[in-house]
Amino acid sequence: MRWIFAGVLSLVAAATSAQERRPSHCIAIADASPGFEFLHKASWQKAVPQFSVRISYIAHASFLLQTHGGLSAVTDFTGFIGNVDLIPDVVTMNHAHETHWTAFPDPAIKHPLNGWGPFGEGIEHHLDLGEMLIRNVSTDIRSQFSGVEPKGNSIFVFEVEGLCIGHLGHLHHMPSNEQFAALGRLDVVMAAVDGGSTLALPEMIKVINRLKSSIVIPMHWFGDYTLGAFLVGIREEFDVRRDWISEIEVSLATLPDRPTVIVLEPKYLIDPED
């Protein structure tokens, strides 16, 4: 009986510890609550509501993620996010092209995370900041001379407020079954839709369909022509919404009932007085 009692105490302690971060739904599908409006216009300077995450599209493949507790992360960080006095807690980078990383991130950034390691070896991240967990799944990239750099980039996943948010990075190939399993089910995914320097559009749409995300945010598009081609190709399976805004707030309770593409407009961050 003593060992059973000790086991019960261990389970209770583990459950209490887990409450520091709401468990994500990377594996289980989150149900949408009827009557909620999932899309909220926001300002990156304002406090993030409880149980929500703010996502701001900065440029190209860079997004700012902000939490209720004040954590901030920037994806595919290039060293410039706008005319703002903001030092992100975390930046993630990929080195397929110079528009996805910087060799000189500000030393004040506590957690600069490269999506690559020594050639062919990749890198593994599992950064637990309490309110947010950041992990990665390595992918291959085409090298400069038409070869392949194994594990040269990463898909980064942010688990926060029960949500699983993925940034596909500069994806060059269809992920393997093992990579899809490692990613889990992404509630929100940022996907490159240029159809050329990353994946061809039919392949990217297959990736998105397999991920079964509630919200897809297109990135890495070069004008309305490339964006439009993606939207035409995905309309059968996804609702499409474009409200000419650059920021949204999402939560588990406000995920849409039907998978939805939300087009955000890239906009560098600006201080309020500007």
Side-chain angles (χ1 to χ4, degrees):
M1 291 297 293
R2 183 176 300 176
W3 65 270
I4 294 176
F5 182 69
V8 172
L9 285 180
S10 297
L11 289 173
V12 171
T16 302
S17 176
Q19 294 306 309
E20 295 178 5
R21 179 177 58 255
R22 297 183 73 196
S24 75
H25 286 236
C26 288
I27 305 302
I29 295 178
D31 292 326
S33 298
F36 279 89
E37 173 65 23
F38 71 93
L39 181 62
H40 301 275
K41 295 183 180 181
S43 170
W44 74 269
Q45 300 97 340
K46 293 182 180 178
V48 180
Q50 193 174 17
F51 308 128
S52 300
V53 180
R54 179 176 300 134
I55 302 173
S56 305
Y57 190 16
I58 298 172
H60 201 55
S62 293
F63 291 83
L64 169 65
L65 279 65
Q66 295 171 284
T67 72
H68 175 71
L71 287 176
S72 60
V74 174
T75 64
D76 279 24
F77 180 67
T78 63
F80 181 73
I81 58 176
N83 181 25
V84 292
D85 184 20
L86 172 66
I87 304 295
D89 298 290
V90 182
V91 298
T92 63
M93 295 180 286
N94 279 303
H95 76 163
H97 295 287
E98 63 183 8
T99 50
H100 296 260
W101 71 295
T102 175
F104 306 103
D106 192 320
I109 297 171
K110 295 179 181 178
H111 305 285
L113 305 182
N114 291 348
W116 68 96
F119 188 91
E121 295 181 19
I123 195 168
E124 290 188 12
H125 296 292
H126 193 275
L127 178 63
D128 192 341
L129 299 178
E131 191 182 15
M132 178 187 287
L133 171 69
I134 302 100
R135 56 185 177 86
N136 72 306
V137 175
S138 292
T139 61
D140 302 341
I141 58 172
R142 297 183 294 268
S143 67
Q144 185 177 2
F145 303 104
S146 300
V148 174
E149 180 180 350
K151 300 182 178 180
N153 269 353
S154 287
I155 296 171
F156 281 93
V157 179
F158 305 82
E159 298 186 31
V160 54
E161 292 296 356
L163 292 163
C164 201
I165 301 172
H167 185 281
L168 297 185
H170 210 277
L171 188 61
H172 287 179
H173 64 88
M174 178 74 69
S176 66
N177 289 336
E178 292 76 15
Q179 288 168 323
F180 274 116
L183 287 173
R185 196 261 184 187
L186 304 179
D187 297 296
V188 181
V189 65
M190 296 86 147
V193 301
D194 58 280
S197 61
T198 56
L199 271 180
L201 280 183
E203 290 182 293
M204 181 58 77
I205 290 173
K206 287 180 181 178
V207 171
I208 292 170
N209 283 330
R210 181 160 176 178
L211 288 171
K212 300 184 183 300
S213 301
S214 296
I215 296 175
V216 176
I217 303 176
M219 66 176 182
H220 210 264
W221 45 274
F222 307 109
D224 281 346
Y225 179 80
T226 52
L227 175 63
F230 167 71
L231 297 181
V232 167
I234 205 166
R235 279 186 186 276
E236 282 192 21
E237 301 294 333
F238 285 75
D239 288 340
V240 175
R241 187 158 184 175
R242 189 175 192 180
D243 292 330
W244 303 96
I245 58 175
S246 60
E247 303 159 335
I248 58 169
E249 290 164 0
V250 294
S251 69
L252 274 178
T254 59
L255 290 173
D257 294 305
R258 176 173 163 80
T260 302
V261 173
I262 299 179
V263 179
L264 296 182
E265 313 303 322
K267 180 182 178 182
Y268 285 110
L269 304 182
I270 301 173
D271 277 329
E273 60 268 21
D274 297 327

